[in-house]
Each structure stands twice: as C-alpha cells, then as structure tokens.
Amino acid sequence: MSAMVHIVCTLPQGSVLGPRLFILYKADLAEVVKKYDVSIHAFADDDQLYRRCFRDEMAATVVQLERCLEEVSHWMSANRLKLNADKTELLWVGSKYSQPSLGSKGLPLQIDSDTVTASDHVCVLGVTFSADLSVDKRVSSICASCFFWLRQCQRVRRSLDDESVKTLVHAFVTARVDYCNMVLASSPRSVTDKLQRVLNAAARLVSDMRKCDRGLSQILHPDLHWLDVADRVRYKLGVTVHRCLHNKAPQYPVDCCVPVSDIASRQRLRSARHCLLTVPRHRVAHSAVGHSQSPDPLSGTCFETNSETPTVLSLHSDSH
C-alpha cells in the first residue's frame, strides 16, 4: 500500500464535472489559437482546430497552423499538459470539385518531430467526418455495428423476455441510430433507408417475427411507438431548435436560430407572421473556366476567386 498523501482539492474520477472543469482549466488556449485566425472547438481533452482557405492557399495555411500548434505545444507544456501527436488527425474538407487536393491527398502537417498525414475521414466525438462531408462512411459504420449486436441478441433471444430484449435493443441499436442523427438532415432516402433497415431488423427481433412475416408497420408504429429514421431526424431538429429559441442550448447554436420577426427590415413579411427563422444568404458558383464568386465567411461580402471552392482544414487532437 502506498503512503497516504493529503491534498487540498480533488475531483472524483468519472464525475460529470470533469469535462467542464478541464475546459475551464485550459480556457486560455482559445486566446492562443485566435491569434493565428484559427477557430477552436473543445470538449474535455479533445480539441478541434478549423481554418478556412482556398486550394491555392493550402501551403500558407499549413505554415500558419504549424506555428499555431508550436505555440499551443509550448502553452500545454507550461500548464503541465502535452499535445499528443500520435492521436492527432488531419482532414482537408471541401466540395466534390476539389477532390484532387482533399482527403489523404492533402498536404501533411509537421508537429515538432512528428508528421501528421492527411486522412480521408476522421472521427470526432463518435461522429465520422469525410473529406467531402458525406455521411456514407458514418452510416455504413453505424449499420455494421448495429447488425453485429442484433446478431448477438438473436442468439440469446429464446432465453430473454420481451422487456429484456427491448432494453438490449435500445442500449446497443437505437442509441447508435439516434446519436448525432441531425447530421443526416436533408439526406437522400438512399442513406436513411440503410438505417431504416436496421430499425426494421430490431423490430423483428423484439417482436420475434421472421423476415418474411407481414405486419412490420403495425409493430413499428402502434406497438413499439418507434418513429422512422427520417422522422427521428426531424424530431431531433425540432427539439434542438426549440431549446435554442428558449435559450436552453449552448450559445453557438442559439446564434444560428434568428427569427425573421427580430430583423427590423423583415418584420412585415409573411415569414415573420409565420414564426419562421432566417436562412443565411450564400452564393457559391463553380465554373471550370473564368471566376466564381464565394461569400467571405467573416464580413459577409463577396469576392472573386480562381474557380476554387473553399477548403476547410480540421485538426483533431488529444491533450493529456
């Protein structure tokens, strides 16, 4: 047994206050990052750095990020933290027109003596982001994981009652389908149908139905009270918007939900009377020859660029 040591303050391991207090401890890190015109999003010891640029600015962006990470590493060392280069991931994000310079084909990043190569996709807080911002990789991963657990539950189905099966399905299947499902908003049916097949298989398992038996719709809606995947996404969006409008959500999504009636120049419009929200104006045109006009994300004005769609650099790192 080790010797007893008296400490002034502590935090129980696994406490819900852990992530919040850790963010407060490293709150000054945001000021370090902002000096290099880099955005940051943090959750506990996971940090994501974002930088917007165009394809012809990728090299300069890499240099700027390397300088930023060098100062971040010095700040962490001074505050008894360490930037973990082994868990750092780099992703170049853009439209399908910029594929030759996105994903694993993007420029690498140098952190001290370590080189971080670009990836085709990264996992941030359990959500997989691809270079073209498609959700195919995420949906395929969810389906594979859910069908695995459904097969495991099927093996012991005869030994369980209906309530126990429902508990297992909610823990291992529907929880995965519903996690961060708002990223599936406006997705085509070819994407949501894959997840719908997962729910259909889960409903058959709970009701002990065979694949060819009829009455699945009766089991899903009136009996189990499960919504379809598309309805689940709309429900989650509605709940989130309701929380934003009543100031029960974090500030960054609240700032995105602005009622039309709050804008003086649009208060007499029909959309103001219908309690609609404003849609940010944007115009991104792509052309193989000539120029395109893209909105400046900071000032809201437009400027001409060389027919290149904007590229975003995302850095995911762990500090411990």
Side-chain angles (χ1 to χ4, degrees):
M1 181 180 295
S2 59
M4 183 178 297
V5 178
H6 295 280
I7 56 178
V8 179
C9 57
T10 183
L11 182 68
Q13 186 174 4
S15 172
V16 294
L17 294 177
R20 180 170 296 181
L21 293 179
F22 191 85
I23 291 177
L24 293 176
Y25 178 77
K26 61 173 187 177
D28 296 338
L29 183 61
E31 300 299 328
V32 176
V33 172
K34 287 181 180 179
K35 293 191 301 183
Y36 295 90
D37 194 20
V38 176
S39 303
I40 184 173
H41 184 272
F43 179 81
D45 60 343
D46 292 329
D47 299 309
Q48 294 87 44
L49 304 182
Y50 303 90
R51 179 72 168 86
R52 184 184 184 277
C53 67
F54 292 92
R55 267 196 303 194
D56 54 355
E57 302 172 350
M58 292 175 62
T61 300
V62 168
V63 174
Q64 188 172 8
L65 275 172
E66 289 177 347
R67 294 175 180 173
C68 176
L69 290 176
E70 183 179 0
E71 186 168 349
V72 168
S73 180
H74 293 332
W75 183 92
M76 288 187 173
S77 298
N79 289 272
R80 300 181 180 180
L81 297 173
K82 180 183 178 181
L83 180 63
N84 194 343
D86 295 334
K87 293 185 178 180
T88 300
E89 297 175 292
L90 177 64
L91 180 68
W92 291 96
V93 180
S95 68
K96 60 182 180 180
Y97 302 107
S98 304
Q99 284 299 322
S101 58
L102 297 181
S104 58
K105 301 177 183 178
L107 299 177
L109 196 65
Q110 191 73 25
I111 303 179
D112 295 333
S113 59
D114 299 310
T115 301
V116 180
T117 58
S119 305
D120 291 324
H121 54 269
V122 297
C123 185
V124 180
L125 301 178
V127 180
T128 302
F129 291 91
S130 301
D132 57 352
L133 293 181
S134 64
V135 295
D136 295 336
K137 178 69 176 179
R138 167 171 168 76
V139 171
S140 299
S141 176
I142 293 175
C143 292
S145 178
C146 290
F147 278 121
F148 168 80
W149 287 110
L150 287 175
R151 289 191 296 269
Q152 300 302 314
C153 294
Q154 183 66 42
R155 297 178 179 179
V156 296
R157 178 64 178 86
R158 296 182 179 180
S159 304
L160 301 174
D161 54 39
D162 292 344
E163 291 300 324
S164 298
V165 176
K166 288 181 182 179
T167 302
L168 291 176
V169 168
H170 283 307
F172 295 107
V173 179
T174 58
R176 285 179 165 83
V177 174
D178 292 337
Y179 179 70
C180 292
N181 59 356
M182 286 192 299
V183 300
L184 302 176
S186 302
S187 296
R189 287 195 58 182
S190 59
V191 174
T192 57
D193 284 350
K194 295 179 182 179
L195 296 176
Q196 187 61 47
R197 285 193 287 269
V198 172
L199 291 183
N200 293 345
R204 294 191 187 96
L205 177 63
V206 172
S207 59
D208 202 11
M209 292 178 57
R210 295 182 179 180
K211 187 174 182 180
C212 299
D213 292 344
R214 296 186 177 182
L216 180 61
S217 179
Q218 175 71 22
I219 296 296
L220 272 173
H221 303 142
D223 295 345
L224 296 178
H225 303 286
W226 288 3
L227 295 175
D228 293 337
V229 173
D231 295 330
R232 287 170 177 261
V233 175
R234 284 192 289 267
Y235 175 77
K236 182 69 72 65
L237 281 173
V239 171
T240 303
V241 172
H242 179 270
R243 291 176 178 175
C244 292
L245 294 178
H246 292 80
N247 294 322
K248 296 181 179 180
Q251 190 60 38
Y252 61 90
V254 171
D255 296 337
C256 299
C257 297
V258 180
V260 177
S261 57
D262 291 351
I263 303 177
S265 60
R266 304 178 64 182
Q267 291 179 352
R268 297 184 179 182
L269 298 179
R270 187 181 305 172
S271 56
R273 297 194 299 268
H274 292 172
C275 300
L276 299 181
L277 301 177
T278 58
V279 179
R281 295 182 178 180
H282 61 279
R283 183 178 59 180
V284 179
H286 184 274
S287 175
V289 181
H291 295 80
S292 64
Q293 287 204 343
S294 304
D296 185 346
L298 299 180
S299 63
T301 59
C302 291
F303 58 93
E304 291 187 350
T305 57
N306 294 326
S307 64
E308 304 291 348
T309 47
T311 304
V312 179
L313 178 65
S314 173
L315 176 68
H316 170 60
S317 63
D318 278 350
S319 56
H320 55 214

